[in-house]
Amino acid sequence: MLALVAKHGKAGGLALPTALLIAVEMRDMYQRGQWDSPRHITTFHDGDILLISNRWWALPTYRQRFYSLWTKTLLKTTWDDLGVIINDGETGQAMLFIAEPQGVRYVPLTEFLAARDPRGAAVRRIKRAADASMPAPPRQEIVAFVAAQIDKRQVRPWLSIRAAWDIGNFRQQFRWAIEVSMQAVQVRKARMSHSSAAMIQAETDRFHEKLALEQAIVDRLPEAGRAVAFETSNAALVAETLAMLHLVPSPLPPPQLYAPTDFSTGVFPLINHEPSDDRPVIIYKP
């Protein structure tokens, strides 16, 4: 009996990992087949989000390979990594700000893509609205923020996967933050299209109703959840950077409760941006 159990256990131990790897690779290759041809983009905005589909088996460290594989598996996504673009203030070069297992990095975008050579990379374009209620922060503040993250933050990649499975009050607040963001876009569209005063007022009233519902949830959240965590992840760093740039609500939802899928396949709360088709634009596809 024990010999039979050992035999089947060995077979299962070999079959399950193999099936997992096949499923991940097939999903990645299928998604890659759906992508458009890569576009050559020369100008990026501060806050543009870079989505990365890694070849998990080609990453330089075993820690990165393990995290990439399990992110693709548990979150069922081909986009297992992400960063945010912040242009160099002096040269205007597109720089990638990214949290990797070994630490936070700030590197030229072209250099990163050439070295990483991922399966693909895409950008979600985020452009600040001309009538934004809050302007972009001074360049000195952006530089100081980047330096502080590189020097002081510890990267905990598993925060992203834990955040994706959170179902508590923080996630409820995140949901309503998205509702508020989408309703704000509707108000802006109504104004830009010169709709009637009654329609604009109706959209504005819906905005204030959803804002009140979100605030009611915020008031029930513990104060501890509003503090900036010492630990970070790839999605948390992107969320904090967008909040610093006044492009997402701050300080809630807490940055550590964002997951990669919130930025790749989902909708996340945005403020002060122009309404646009925010589908990812493929920029790298070897």
Side-chain angles (χ1 to χ4, degrees), residues 24-38 53 55 78-79 117-121 282 284-286:
V24 168
E25 285 298 303
M26 288 185 65
R27 180 171 58 237
D28 275 9
M29 295 307 295
Y30 172 78
Q31 292 293 335
R32 188 180 188 278
Q34 305 302 307
W35 296 342
D36 297 329
S37 299
S53 177
R55 297 182 177 95
T78 188
W79 303 113
D117 190 26
R119 180 161 279 145
I282 303 297
Y284 187 87
K285 182 182 176 182

Side-chain angles (χ1 to χ4, degrees), residues 34-80:
Q34 305 302 307
W35 296 342
D36 297 329
S37 299
R39 285 175 51 186
H40 180 62
I41 299 177
T42 57
T43 302
F44 295 89
H45 310 121
D46 286 344
D48 283 350
I49 300 170
L50 181 74
L51 306 173
I52 305 162
S53 177
N54 286 306
R55 297 182 177 95
W56 65 270
W57 38 266
L59 292 172
T61 68
Y62 284 108
R63 187 182 182 190
Q64 286 177 289
R65 295 172 194 172
F66 187 74
Y67 172 72
S68 173
L69 177 60
W70 279 104
T71 299
K72 290 174 180 288
T73 302
L74 298 178
L75 300 187
K76 299 178 181 179
T77 178
T78 188
W79 303 113
D80 57 299

Side-chain angles (χ1 to χ4, degrees), residues 1-266:
M1 182 64 181
L2 292 177
L4 184 63
V5 171
K7 180 180 178 180
H8 286 285
K10 183 178 180 180
L14 293 173
L16 290 177
T18 303
L20 170 67
L21 299 181
I22 292 174
V24 168
E25 285 298 303
M26 288 185 65
R27 180 171 58 237
D28 275 9
M29 295 307 295
Y30 172 78
Q31 292 293 335
R32 188 180 188 278
Q34 305 302 307
W35 296 342
D36 297 329
S37 299
R39 285 175 51 186
H40 180 62
I41 299 177
T42 57
T43 302
F44 295 89
H45 310 121
D46 286 344
D48 283 350
I49 300 170
L50 181 74
L51 306 173
I52 305 162
S53 177
N54 286 306
R55 297 182 177 95
W56 65 270
W57 38 266
L59 292 172
T61 68
Y62 284 108
R63 187 182 182 190
Q64 286 177 289
R65 295 172 194 172
F66 187 74
Y67 172 72
S68 173
L69 177 60
W70 279 104
T71 299
K72 290 174 180 288
T73 302
L74 298 178
L75 300 187
K76 299 178 181 179
T77 178
T78 188
W79 303 113
D80 57 299
D81 207 355
L82 73 161
V84 61
I85 293 173
I86 299 181
N87 294 312
D88 185 282
E90 296 182 358
T91 65
Q93 183 181 18
M95 303 289 290
L96 179 65
F97 193 35
I98 186 171
E100 297 186 302
Q102 65 268 34
V104 177
R105 300 174 62 203
Y106 184 60
V107 295
L109 176 61
T110 54
E111 178 183 312
F112 174 86
L113 292 175
R116 175 67 61 87
D117 190 26
R119 180 161 279 145
V123 168
R124 287 190 76 167
R125 308 279 279 169
I126 301 176
K127 184 178 180 182
R128 186 178 303 276
D131 60 344
S133 58
M134 296 182 66
R139 179 56 55 176
Q140 298 88 335
E141 183 178 328
I142 298 176
V143 171
F145 173 84
V146 170
Q149 307 307 306
I150 294 175
D151 292 340
K152 300 178 181 178
R153 300 305 291 277
Q154 291 185 355
V155 179
R156 295 290 183 267
W158 298 105
L159 288 176
S160 293
I161 296 177
R162 186 177 67 185
W165 289 355
D166 180 77
I167 57 174
N169 283 336
F170 285 116
R171 207 63 185 174
Q172 287 293 318
Q173 193 269 333
F174 180 80
R175 171 178 168 263
W176 281 105
I178 292 174
E179 292 284 342
V180 170
S181 174
M182 295 177 68
Q183 187 59 39
V185 170
Q186 294 302 317
V187 173
R188 186 174 288 119
K189 284 182 177 179
R191 291 175 177 172
M192 292 174 63
S193 61
H194 305 291
S195 300
S196 65
M199 180 176 291
I200 293 175
Q201 185 60 48
E203 295 290 356
T204 303
D205 290 343
R206 292 192 193 97
F207 170 79
H208 288 296
E209 289 172 3
K210 293 181 179 181
L211 187 62
L213 288 169
E214 181 198 359
Q215 188 59 47
I217 296 175
V218 170
D219 292 340
R220 297 199 302 268
L221 297 177
E223 288 293 332
R226 309 184 190 196
V228 175
F230 178 68
E231 299 177 342
T232 192
S233 66
N234 50 15
L237 185 69
V238 170
E240 281 192 85
T241 304
L242 294 180
M244 180 273 298
L245 294 171
H246 306 152
L247 290 170
V248 299
S250 177
L252 292 171
Q256 63 269 26
L257 292 182
Y258 283 86
T261 47
D262 292 324
F263 297 103
S264 60
T265 57

